[in-house]
Amino acid sequence: MNNERTISDFRSLSSIPQLVRDFLNREVPGLEDSLFTIESIRKQIEQQQGAFSGHERAVLCQELERQHGCLPIAPEQKESLGLLIQENTFTVCTGHQLNLFTGPVFFIYKILQTIKTAHYLRTELPEFNFVPIFWMASEDHDLDEIDHFSTLQATYHIQGESGGAVGRIVPKDISFNEAFSQEVRDTVYGTELSRLLMDAYTPGKNLAESTREIVQHLFSSYGLLVLDGDTRTLKQEMIPYFKEELLNQSLFHETKGRNEMILKKYGRLQVNPRSINLFHLDTIRQRIESHNGGFRLLETGEVFSVSGLMEVLEKFPERFSPNALLRPIYQQKILPNIAYIGGNAEIMYWIQLPEYFSKMGVPFPILIPRNSLLFLSKKTRVKIEKLQRDPIDFFQPLHQFLKSYLLEESSLKDQIDQLEKGLKDAFEQLGELAQKTEGSFMQMVEAEQARQTKSYNRFRKRLLRAEKIKHGEKVERIEQLYNEIHPRGLWQERVLNFSVFYRDYGKDWLQNCYQEMEVTKSALIILPI
C-alpha cells in the first residue's frame, strides 16, 4: 500500500442520492446548520449540556461498564469509560446491523470514520472530550440481510430462527468457519482471521456476542465503546417516549410536513412512518397497531387495552423495540451524542426527523454521510490508464460509460454533430423568415425542426449500436474492467468483506484506512493496494 489517492466530493457524484447532495450543499430546509463544522459542533455541545442529565450519564456509564465486562478491555477503552462520566465528554456515534463477520467492508469504514472524527474533535476542541460509540442494531429482525459475507472466492452463510431480535439468534450451522479457514490458510494474516472467526462464532454464542467480539478485536485499541440497546436498563429511560408514541403517535404526526416536502421534491421516502413505530419484542418481534380503542400485536393477534399495555410498558420496558425511525431518538436520548455518522440511506431517514426531535425536546445531532473507500490493484489501474480514463469515470452506469467512451472515439459522431448544427442554423434562419408571414408557416417550421432533430437522435443511437458491434472486443474488456471495480455491479464496499484486504495487510490496512479517511468532508476515496 502507498499514500497515492484520488478523492471525489460526494456533491459532485451523480450516483449519490440527490437528497444527500442537497443536504451537503445546505439546501434542505431546516437542516442548514446540521452539517459538520467546528462551529456547529460547539452549538451541539451547548444543547447537550442543557439536555443530558447527570442521572442519564450515570445510567449510561454503568451499562457500558457492564456490557464491556464480558471481554478483556483495552487501556484505551478504560480511558474512554473514565472520560464518559465527566460532564464535558460527548459521543460521536455510528451504528450497524450485526452482519456475519461484519458483512460488507463499509461496516469497517464507518467505524473508523467515527473514531477519527472523535479524535479530530479532541484536537480541535481540547476543552472537551469525545468518545466514539458503535451502536449494535441487535433488535432488527431481518436475518436475510445479515446472514452472509462475501469474498472474491465465495459467499458464506449461517442459518438461524428469524423473526425475533437478530442479536439473540444463536446460529445453527457454523460450518462456514472451516470453509473460510481453507480459503485464507496460505495468506499472511489468514491464521489471525481464522482464529477470530472461530472464537467469535463458537457454538452457543448469539450474534450480538459474536459481533461484539469481532469489533473488540479490531477496534479496542482505538478507544471505541460498543453499545447494545437491547437492555432493560436503557429502555427504562425511554418509557415516557415509548408511551408518547403509543398514545399520541407523535412521530407520525410531526414528520408529516417534512415527509410531504421530501416526496414532492425527491419522489420517495427512505422509510415510511407507521402510525405506531414500536414493536413488541418477546420470542418474536411484532408490530403494535391501534385496535378498537386499544392495541393489537399484528402477528399473534394478542390484544391489550390502553391501560393494559401501559402496565406492560412500565413493568417490562425491555419488551418494546423501536423501528428504524424511532431508534434515532432512542440513541440520542441515552447518549450525550453530538454527531451521527451513517450511510446515505441512514442519513435520508434521519433527515425526516428534526421536527419530531424538537417536539420531544431532544437535541437533533450533526449528520455526517460516511466516506466511501475503493481499493484498486496496480493491474486494474493500468487497465484504466490504457483507456485514458480516471477511476472516477467508472462511477456512472455502465451503459452511460460505454456511450460516452464509444461516441467520443467515433469520428462519425463529430460529423453528425456538425450536420445537426448546420440543420439548427438553417432552421433559425427559416424561423426569422417565418416571423414575417402568417403564423401557420412558423408552426410548420417548428414541427419540421422537431421531426428532423429526432432523426439525428436516432442516428446517434444507431451509431452507438454499430460502434458496439465494431468494437466488440473492447466493449467486452471494458465490461470486465467495470466488474472488477464494481463486483456484482455494486460499489466494492457493499459486496466484499474486510477479510479480502486484511488477509494480506492485517491491522496495517486498518490503520491505512484510518489515515486516509476524511473527517471534514463526505467523499469517495480511491486508494491503491
Side-chain angles (χ1 to χ4, degrees):
M1 295 184 289
N2 59 56
N3 292 324
E4 297 176 6
R5 72 174 186 168
T6 301
I7 182 167
S8 183
D9 194 299
F10 274 3
R11 292 173 293 182
S12 66
L13 287 176
S14 61
S15 49
I16 300 299
Q18 186 64 50
L19 177 57
V20 175
R21 284 184 283 155
D22 285 351
F23 169 72
L24 291 170
N25 283 319
R26 301 181 187 273
E27 295 175 358
V28 178
L31 291 173
E32 296 88 350
D33 296 328
S34 295
L35 214 61
F36 180 79
T37 65
I38 293 299
E39 183 57 33
S40 63
I41 291 295
R42 286 188 182 277
K43 291 179 180 178
Q44 275 292 314
I45 289 172
E46 290 177 8
Q47 292 182 49
Q48 281 291 348
Q49 286 175 323
F52 198 70
S53 70
H55 163 78
E56 290 167 326
R57 191 177 289 275
V59 169
L60 171 65
C61 291
Q62 290 170 11
E63 182 61 25
L64 281 168
E65 290 270 8
R66 185 190 70 79
Q67 291 189 17
H68 284 79
C70 60
L71 292 170
I73 190 168
E76 294 84 356
Q77 290 176 304
K78 287 183 178 178
E79 180 185 5
S80 292
L81 287 168
L83 291 173
L84 199 52
I85 197 65
Q86 300 175 22
E87 292 184 357
N88 66 335
T89 300
F90 303 92
T91 62
V92 179
C93 181
T94 192
H96 200 67
Q97 296 170 299
L98 309 185
N99 297 71
L100 183 64
F101 208 40
T102 74
V105 67
F106 72 83
F107 179 106
I108 302 295
Y109 301 155
K110 70 196 303 190
I111 291 178
L112 284 171
Q113 185 174 348
T114 301
I115 292 167
K116 189 169 182 178
T117 300
H119 293 175
Y120 170 82
L121 289 174
R122 289 184 193 178
T123 301
E124 294 296 313
L125 298 170
E127 66 271 33
F128 301 105
N129 302 307
F130 301 91
V131 171
I133 297 284
F134 175 64
W135 178 286
M136 294 201 298
S138 57
E139 295 180 66
D140 287 356
H141 60 270
D142 195 343
L143 180 62
D144 291 342
E145 291 185 2
I146 67 166
D147 67 354
H148 60 280
F149 72 93
S150 296
T151 66
L152 290 168
Q153 290 76 29
T155 296
Y156 301 94
H157 292 269
I158 56 169
Q159 295 179 348
E161 293 290 340
S162 61
V166 294
R168 304 177 186 182
I169 293 175
V170 177
K172 292 181 178 179
D173 181 5
I174 56 174
S175 59
F176 67 90
N177 279 344
E178 182 58 36
F180 177 77
S181 294
Q182 289 296 316
E183 178 184 324
V184 300
R185 64 180 178 177
D186 295 325
T187 62
V188 179
Y189 292 93
T191 300
E192 179 187 344
L193 284 170
S194 296
R195 177 60 60 86
L196 175 59
L197 190 71
M198 290 184 176
D199 287 348
Y201 296 96
T202 54
K205 283 185 180 177
N206 63 38
L207 291 182
E209 293 169 327
S210 301
T211 302
R212 180 181 291 276
E213 191 160 334
I214 294 166
V215 173
Q216 180 77 2
H217 177 86
L218 296 174
F219 301 110
S220 60
S221 63
Y222 291 92
L224 179 74
L225 298 179
V226 181
L227 183 59
D228 186 349
D230 187 10
T231 169
R232 175 183 174 85
T233 300
L234 297 179
K235 288 184 178 178
Q236 280 182 317
E237 302 300 305
M238 290 299 295
I239 289 175
Y241 299 86
F242 290 168
K243 186 177 294 186
E244 173 71 18
E245 179 64 15
L246 291 166
L247 296 178
N248 299 318
Q249 294 88 53
S250 290
L251 191 151
F252 179 83
H253 295 298
E254 295 299 325
T255 59
K256 188 175 181 180
R258 179 168 291 271
N259 287 341
E260 289 174 351
M261 178 274 291
I262 293 172
L263 276 171
K264 182 177 180 180
K265 186 171 182 179
Y266 303 98
R268 63 182 290 266
L269 293 174
Q270 185 61 35
V271 178
N272 282 291
R274 300 187 182 278
S275 56
I276 296 175
N277 295 277
L278 270 174
F279 290 92
H280 184 272
L281 178 59
D282 201 348
T283 54
I284 61 174
R285 193 170 183 241
Q286 302 183 71
R287 275 176 49 198
I288 303 171
E289 61 179 14
S290 298
H291 177 72
N292 291 340
F295 302 95
R296 179 176 66 178
L297 305 186
L298 190 62
E299 280 73 21
T300 62
E302 185 178 0
V303 297
F304 296 87
S305 65
V306 171
S307 60
L309 194 60
M310 294 304 105
E311 184 178 356
V312 174
L313 175 60
E314 291 287 347
K315 290 182 177 179
F316 306 104
E318 68 275 15
R319 294 183 186 176
F320 293 80
S321 175
N323 71 359
L325 276 179
L326 195 61
R327 185 173 61 239
I329 206 160
Y330 183 20
Q331 292 174 199
Q332 289 299 118
K333 179 59 183 172
I334 65 172
L335 291 170
N337 195 56
I338 54 161
Y340 184 81
I341 296 174
N344 294 327
E346 292 175 279
I347 297 301
M348 287 193 289
Y349 68 69
W350 276 84
I351 286 174
Q352 297 174 227
L353 298 173
E355 286 77 17
Y356 172 62
F357 271 73
S358 178
K359 164 73 174 179
M360 303 306 293
V362 177
F364 189 79
I366 299 300
L367 299 180
I368 305 175
R370 67 165 180 82
N371 291 170
S372 291
L373 271 63
L374 168 67
F375 285 93
L376 295 179
S377 67
K378 183 177 181 180
K379 182 178 178 181
T380 299
R381 284 181 170 268
V382 168
K383 292 178 183 178
I384 294 171
E385 290 169 2
K386 284 182 178 179
L387 291 174
Q388 297 182 316
R389 288 294 184 273
D390 188 86
I392 201 66
D393 294 329
F394 286 81
F395 281 83
Q396 58 182 311
L398 176 59
H399 71 275
Q400 290 183 10
F401 179 86
L402 285 171
K403 179 180 178 180
S404 62
Y405 180 80
L406 291 173
L407 292 183
E408 183 180 303
E409 294 288 306
S410 174
S411 60
L412 294 177
K413 177 182 178 295
D414 291 337
Q415 296 177 44
I416 291 174
D417 288 345
Q418 291 173 10
L419 288 170
E420 185 181 21
K421 184 179 184 303
L423 177 73
K424 183 179 179 181
D425 292 343
F427 272 103
E428 284 181 358
Q429 294 177 30
L430 276 171
E432 291 174 1
L433 292 174
Q435 290 176 358
K436 300 176 181 180
T437 186
E438 196 267 332
S440 62
F441 182 62
M442 174 63 84
Q443 293 174 0
M444 185 188 76
V445 170
E446 291 174 344
E448 186 62 21
Q449 181 179 5
R451 186 184 68 80
Q452 294 196 33
T453 300
K454 287 181 180 178
S455 295
Y456 276 92
N457 290 333
R458 287 197 298 270
F459 294 157
R460 287 191 182 85
K461 290 180 181 178
R462 292 297 297 270
L463 174 61
L464 178 60
R465 190 182 309 167
E467 290 295 300
K468 283 184 178 180
I469 296 171
K470 179 181 177 181
H471 300 287
E473 289 186 7
K474 182 175 285 187
V475 169
E476 186 176 344
R477 290 198 300 271
I478 290 173
E479 289 174 343
Q480 291 174 350
L481 177 57
Y482 192 91
N483 288 327
E484 286 180 27
I485 298 169
H486 300 291
R488 302 179 193 170
L490 302 171
W491 287 27
Q492 180 192 79
E493 63 177 23
R494 303 198 68 83
V495 176
L496 299 182
N497 182 254
F498 83 99
S499 61
V500 171
F501 311 103
Y502 195 96
R503 66 185 65 186
D504 294 319
Y505 302 102
K507 289 191 175 180
D508 285 346
W509 173 76
L510 283 181
Q511 185 61 22
N512 183 62
C513 292
Y514 174 91
Q515 293 294 342
E516 299 291 352
M517 194 70 66
E518 285 288 326
V519 169
T520 59
K521 68 172 67 174
S522 298
L524 167 64
I525 304 165
I526 303 174
L527 300 165
I529 194 167

